[in-house]
């Protein structure tokens, strides 16, 4: 698995520091509230787990499963809800936990949907932001690290469902996908 990584972009130590710092900021910003943390499956899992432990508030935890990639390295632009929330969000402060924001298609669609359902506020915390990939304007409120436009895997992020269990985020060696993507 490690040999398919061309370069480590965010190390385990950096991820730990990001979780601590974002956790502190969120704890402070939401101090008199009890927000719902909504994780977008499956990529959010390691980040949701580590970040939520650094948020010192009573929070609800819920998940949604959405997809915009269908196995490749480019977003299809067509956001599908595969599994919906199991708790009502009306009148609640919602904090969406995302692994990466690229084109913005996923996040813009989900923010609009949750606002439409009557959330009091909807904000995004993303481990990674790829602003150069943006097709829809959206600036996440909480960003762990801004990265260049490269296809990355690890710490929840996958290529064809693999590499999610890498403990760091790295650039996938283009050799791994170039043959498949040109077919
Ligand atoms: P967006 O809708 O284009 O902003 O993309 C959001 C989703 O696409 C993320 O939640 C990821 O699942 C996936 N994605 C975007 N960039 C990458 C990447 O570099 N590696 C793996 N998945 C990515």
């Amino acid at each position: 698995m490690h040999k398919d990584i061309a370069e480590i972009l965010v190390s385990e130590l950096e991820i730990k520091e990001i979780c601590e710092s974002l956790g502190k900021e969120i704890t402070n910003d939401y101090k008199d509230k009890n927000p719902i943390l909504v994780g977008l499956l499956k990529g959010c899992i390691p980040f949701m787990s580590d970040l939520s432990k650094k948020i010192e508030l009573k929070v609800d935890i819920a998940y949604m499963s959405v997809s915009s990639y269908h196995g490749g390295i480019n977003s299809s632009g067509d956001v599908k809800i595969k599994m919906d929330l199991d708790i009502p969000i009306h009148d609640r402060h919602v904090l969406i936990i995302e692994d990466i924001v690229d084109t913005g298609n996923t996040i813009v669609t989900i923010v609009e949907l949750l606002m439409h359902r009557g959330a009091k506020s909807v904000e995004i915390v993303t481990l990674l932001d790829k602003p150069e990939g943006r097709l829809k304007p959206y600036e996440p409120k909480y960003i762990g690290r801004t990265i260049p436009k490269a296809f990355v895997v690890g710490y929840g992020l996958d290529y064809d469902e693999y590499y999610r269990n890498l403990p760091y985020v790295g650039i996938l060696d283009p050799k791994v996908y170039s043959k498949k993507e040109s077919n």
Side-chain angles (χ1 to χ4, degrees), residues 1-174:
M1 199 169 48
H2 298 280
K3 71 173 177 19
D4 293 343
I5 304 305
E7 183 190 332
I8 295 181
L9 267 191
V10 196
S11 69
E12 280 187 78
L13 180 63
E14 284 174 89
I15 291 172
K16 190 171 174 275
E17 288 166 358
I18 288 171
C19 291
E20 280 166 1
S21 137
L22 287 177
K24 243 185 225 159
E25 203 181 334
I26 291 166
T27 302
N28 189 45
D29 290 356
Y30 286 82
K31 59 175 173 292
D32 301 315
K33 308 181 173 94
N34 67 316
I36 304 183
L37 306 184
V38 171
L40 300 189
L41 295 171
K42 304 173 194 170
C44 73
I45 292 286
F47 186 43
M48 176 75 134
S49 165
D50 291 342
L51 175 68
S52 63
K53 285 180 275 187
K54 302 292 173 194
I55 299 176
E56 296 182 22
L57 300 168
K58 279 164 98 176
V59 297
D60 285 88
I61 289 188
Y63 295 95
M64 278 178 100
S65 176
V66 298
S67 80
S68 60
Y69 277 37
H70 302 290
I73 59 157
N74 294 302
S75 168
S76 68
D78 172 22
V79 180
K80 285 194 174 64
I81 296 185
K82 300 198 288 184
M83 188 191 89
D84 209 340
L85 294 170
D86 61 353
I87 48 174
I89 54 150
H90 186 80
D91 248 4
R92 299 289 307 271
H93 293 286
V94 176
L95 197 47
I96 299 175
I97 316 283
E98 178 60 306
D99 49 5
I100 189 165
V101 178
D102 181 16
T103 64
N105 284 331
T106 308
I107 226 58
V108 167
T109 308
I110 301 303
V111 170
E112 277 172 9
L113 174 73
L114 301 188
M115 286 308 289
H116 180 75
R117 288 183 185 173
K120 212 177 238 171
S121 69
V122 181
E123 297 291 358
I124 309 296
V125 45
T126 184
L127 174 69
L128 305 170
D129 188 21
K130 269 201 286 198
E132 289 167 52
R134 211 67 103 244
L135 295 177
K136 289 191 178 163
Y138 192 86
E139 172 88 24
K141 179 155 185 194
Y142 304 99
I143 298 169
R145 259 284 288 278
T146 300
I147 63 163
K149 193 171 164 44
F151 190 78
V152 294
V153 292
Y155 197 68
L157 290 147
D158 74 306
Y159 171 63
D160 265 358
E161 294 299 327
Y162 291 127
Y163 308 103
R164 292 191 196 274
N165 55 327
L166 281 174
Y168 53 78
V169 175
I171 299 179
L172 186 62
D173 189 334

